[in-house]
C-alpha cells in the first residue's frame, strides 16, 4: 500500500470515528480545557476529552505508552484537517501538553516520563510557568529564585511574575538557581512543583482589560522532589530554552508535538466590520479606507499562514527552531492590527467600558483589543523575538 493510499484510509477512518464520537457541544467556538482541576467541565467537553484521551489524540504524536497515538506528521495534519472540517474544538490545550510535556519527552528520565506524561495527556492537572521575575525578565539568566537541596527534596524561595493562570493551576515548572556560585547561565535547574501546598502563594496582577490571567507567584519554603529536576541538576538553562521553543511554537500555531489547536476564521472580521459600516451600492464595504486596510490585513494574514504551514512541513523535530519566533511575532502583530481595524470600524461603540448604551459584543470587542496588547509581550517580547530573528534566522552580526 502506498503512502497516499494509507493516508486516504487513515482520513476515512478518522472521519468516521469523529462523526461517531464528537459531541455536538464541542463543535464551534468555546473554551478548551487545559487540565486545571479547579475548572469544572460541561458534560460534552468532559466526554470529548475522555474519548480523545482514550484514543491517544489529545497528544497525537506522543508515544502510546505515555498517552499518545504515535501519529506521523502527515497523519497529524490529516487529523487537524478533519477536526477543522467539523468545527470541532481541540480536546485539550495548555502548558502541560504543549510546553512541559514535550520537554519531558526530550529531557526527562524514564521515571519522570512514567510519572507525569500519562496524566498530562489525560488532562489531569493544569500547569503554570515560573520563569520571569521582577529583576529577571528579558535577562532571564539573572533570576534569583533559589532551590536548595535538602536530602531527597528541594526547598524553594523566591518570586515569579507573569505566571499565567497560576490561580487555577495545579503544578508549575520553575527555573530556579541551584548553584549560586556558578556563572549566571549555569547553576540553574528546571524543577516541577506542586502548587497545592502552603509554601506557594499566588497574587493576581490586574491588566488594563480588567482581567487577571497573570499573577505573581511566591515561594516561601515550598518543597519539590529532588527527582523532579528535569534534565539534571544545573542544566536548566539548556532545558529551559528548549521549553521556550515549544512555547513560541504553540503561540505561532506550529506546534507539532503537543496539542495542535486553534482554527482560523477568515470571514469573522469582515462580517463584524460590515455590520458596523454597511455596504455601498456595489455590494462592497461602504468605507473605502477601512476596506483597503482590511484587504491589506487579509493579505498579510494569508502570507503568515502560508509561512506557518511551510515551517510545519519543513520541521523534522518535535518543535521548530528559531523560525518559530518569526511566525509567532507576525501572528501576534497581525492579530493586533485586525483588532485595531475592528475598533476603528466601530467608532464610538468601540470605546465603551460599561453601561446600557453599549451592546455586550461592543464591550467584549473593547476588552479583546486591550487583551491583545499582551500578545507582543507574552511568550517573549516583540524586541526579544526581533533579536532572535536577526541573530538566529537572518544571521545578522551583533
Amino acid at each position: 500500500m502506498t503512502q497516499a493510499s494509507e493516508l486516504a484510509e487513515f482520513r476515512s477512518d478518522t472521519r468516521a470515528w469523529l462523526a461517531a464520537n464528537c459531541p455536538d457541544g464541542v463543535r464551534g467556538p468555546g473554551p478548551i480545557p487545559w487540565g486545571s482541576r479547579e475548572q469544572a467541565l460541561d458534560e460534552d467537553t468532559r466526554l470529548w476529552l475522555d474519548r480523545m484521551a482514550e484514543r491517544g489524540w489529545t497528544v497525537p504524536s506522543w508515544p502510546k505508552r505515555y498517552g499518545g497515538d504515535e501519529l506521523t506528521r502527515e497523519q497529524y495534519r490529516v487529523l487537524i484537517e478533519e477536526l477543522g472540517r467539523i468545527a470541532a474544538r481541540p480536546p485539550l490545550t495548555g502548558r502541560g501538553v504543549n510546553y512541559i510535556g514535550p520537554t519531558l519527552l526530550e529531557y526527562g528520565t524514564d521515571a519522570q516520563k512514567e510519572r507525569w506524561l500519562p496524566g498530562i495527556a489525560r488532562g489531569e492537572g493544569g500547569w503554570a510557568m515560573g520563569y520571569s521575575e521582577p529583576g529577571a525578565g528579558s535577562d532571564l539568566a539573572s533570576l534569583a529564585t533559589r532551590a536548595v537541596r535538602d536530602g531527597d527534596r528541594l526547598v524553594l524561595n523566591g518570586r515569579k511574575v507573569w505566571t499565567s493562570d497560576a490561580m487555577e493551576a495545579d503544578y508549575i515548572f520553575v527555573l530556579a538557581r541551584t548553584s549560586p556560585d556558578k556563572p549566571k547561565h549555569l547553576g540553574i535547574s528546571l524543577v516541577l512543583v506542586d502548587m497545592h501546598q502552603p509554601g506557594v502563594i499566588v497574587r493576581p496582577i490586574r491588566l488594563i482589560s480588567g482581567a487577571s490571567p497573570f499573577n505573581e507567584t511566591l515561594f516561601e519554603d515550598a518543597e519539590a522532589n529532588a527527582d523532579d529536576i528535569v534534565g539534571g541538576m544545573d542544566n536548566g538553562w539548556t532545558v529551559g530554552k528548549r521549553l521556550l521553543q515549544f512555547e513560541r511554537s504553540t503561540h505561532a500555531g506550529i506546534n507539532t508535538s503537543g496539542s495542535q489547536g486553534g482554527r482560523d476564521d477568515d470571514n469573522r472580521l469582515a462580517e463584524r466590520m460590515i455590520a458596523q459600516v454597511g455596504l455601498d451600492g456595489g455590494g462592497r464595504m461602504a468605507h473605502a479606507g477601512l476596506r483597503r486596510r482590511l484587504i491589506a490585513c487579509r493579505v498579510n494574514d494569508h502570507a503568515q499562514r502560508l509561512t506557518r504551514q511551510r515551517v510545519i512541513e519543513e520541521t523534522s523535530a518535535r518543535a521548530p527552531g528559531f523560525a518559530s519566533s518569526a511566525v509567532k511575532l507576525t501572528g501576534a502583530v497581525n492579530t493586533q492590527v485586525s483588532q485595531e481595524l475592528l475598533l476603528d470600524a466601530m467608532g464610538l461603540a468601540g470605546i465603551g467600558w460599561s453601561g446600557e448604551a453599549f451592546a455586550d459584543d461592543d464591550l467584549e470587542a473593547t476588552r479583546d483589543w486591550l487583551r491583545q496588547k499582551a500578545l507582543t509581550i507574552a511568550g517573549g517580547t516583540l524586541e526579544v523575538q526581533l533579536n532572535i530573528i536577526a541573530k538566529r534566522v537572518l544571521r545578522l552580526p551583533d
Side-chain angles (χ1 to χ4, degrees):
M1 183 179 293
T2 65
Q3 183 182 29
S5 59
E6 288 177 349
L7 276 180
E9 181 178 352
F10 176 77
R11 183 182 296 276
S12 178
D13 291 344
T14 298
R15 183 171 297 185
W17 189 91
L18 291 176
N21 289 278
C22 182
D24 291 339
V26 297
R27 304 189 189 206
I32 303 171
W34 54 282
S36 170
R37 295 198 294 267
E38 302 296 316
Q39 294 183 336
L41 303 181
D42 62 74
E43 184 178 353
D44 277 358
T45 300
R46 168 52 63 186
L47 182 61
W48 181 228
L49 174 56
D50 289 345
R51 285 176 175 175
M52 288 288 274
E54 183 178 2
R55 180 78 186 216
W57 285 355
T58 55
V59 283
S61 66
W62 288 17
K64 292 183 178 181
R65 66 182 297 184
Y66 301 133
D69 195 33
E70 300 181 10
L71 296 191
T72 66
R73 184 173 55 188
E74 292 76 18
Q75 289 173 325
Y76 198 167
R77 184 163 58 245
V78 168
L79 174 59
I80 298 306
E81 290 171 355
E82 291 303 311
L83 287 169
R85 189 185 64 84
I86 61 173
R89 298 197 296 271
L92 185 65
T93 188
R95 298 167 200 86
V97 293
N98 291 325
Y99 298 6
I100 190 60
T103 303
L104 283 168
L105 281 171
E106 288 196 17
Y107 288 96
T109 64
D110 289 343
Q112 287 172 341
K113 293 175 186 178
E114 294 286 353
R115 178 183 177 189
W116 291 106
L117 292 179
I120 290 174
R122 292 190 298 266
E124 297 175 352
W127 289 79
M129 180 174 182
Y131 269 44
S132 297
E133 299 183 4
S138 297
D139 184 16
L140 183 59
S142 296
L143 62 88
T145 295
R146 294 280 302 275
V148 178
R149 183 74 179 257
D150 181 15
D152 60 357
R153 65 174 187 154
L154 295 167
V155 180
L156 282 79
N157 284 279
R159 180 162 60 135
K160 297 293 183 177
V161 292
W162 313 121
T163 47
S164 301
D165 303 315
M167 77 290 283
E168 295 180 318
D170 303 290
Y171 308 104
I172 182 170
F173 44 90
V174 180
L175 278 180
R177 194 163 299 283
T178 43
S179 295
D181 55 321
K182 293 184 178 181
K184 69 177 187 177
H185 287 85
L186 305 177
I188 294 172
S189 299
L190 184 69
V191 186
L192 310 182
V193 181
D194 190 331
M195 295 194 70
H196 296 299
Q197 57 173 300
V200 179
I201 302 166
V202 179
R203 297 173 179 167
I205 300 173
R206 189 164 296 278
L207 307 183
I208 57 174
S209 64
S212 299
F214 297 146
N215 307 269
E216 65 171 356
T217 300
L218 285 71
F219 302 98
E220 297 180 355
D221 291 332
E223 296 185 4
N225 293 327
D227 290 340
D228 284 330
I229 297 176
V230 181
M233 181 76 79
D234 295 342
N235 196 38
W237 189 249
T238 296
V239 179
K241 287 193 299 181
R242 183 56 172 158
L243 187 146
L244 286 177
Q245 287 185 311
F246 288 117
E247 180 195 27
R248 288 162 186 165
S249 297
T250 301
H251 280 277
I254 51 178
N255 186 357
T256 57
S257 178
S259 174
Q260 179 69 13
R263 298 181 306 280
D264 300 316
D265 187 346
D266 286 327
N267 298 317
R268 177 66 171 157
L269 176 61
E271 291 171 354
R272 296 183 71 181
M273 291 178 65
I274 290 171
Q276 296 292 331
V277 303
L279 299 174
D280 62 16
R284 302 180 302 174
M285 184 183 296
H287 194 296
L290 290 175
R291 187 170 66 241
R292 286 192 295 270
R293 289 172 60 192
L294 176 62
I295 292 171
C297 182
R298 292 285 290 272
V299 168
N300 289 337
D301 188 54
H302 186 65
Q304 196 269 345
R305 293 185 198 182
L306 291 175
T307 302
R308 181 178 65 189
Q309 187 60 37
R310 177 173 60 82
V311 171
I312 291 174
E313 292 176 353
E314 292 176 353
T315 298
S316 57
R318 289 188 176 273
F322 298 111
S324 59
S325 290
V327 183
K328 185 266 186 188
L329 180 58
T330 54
V333 171
N334 287 351
T335 299
Q336 290 177 341
V337 168
S338 66
Q339 203 67 40
E340 291 276 356
L341 189 53
L342 175 59
L343 251 67
D344 286 350
M346 291 172 62
L348 293 177
I351 62 172
W353 188 255
S354 63
E356 296 180 357
F358 301 96
D360 290 344
D361 284 348
D362 296 340
L363 298 178
E364 184 59 27
T366 303
R367 283 164 170 73
D368 278 344
W369 169 67
L370 292 169
R371 276 193 291 267
Q372 305 301 0
K373 299 300 181 184
L375 291 181
T376 44
I377 300 174
T381 66
L382 180 148
E383 292 79 10
V384 167
Q385 304 303 328
L386 288 175
N387 280 337
I388 292 173
I389 294 167
K391 293 179 180 180
R392 306 299 185 184
V393 179
L394 301 178
R395 305 292 183 183
L396 298 178
D398 291 337

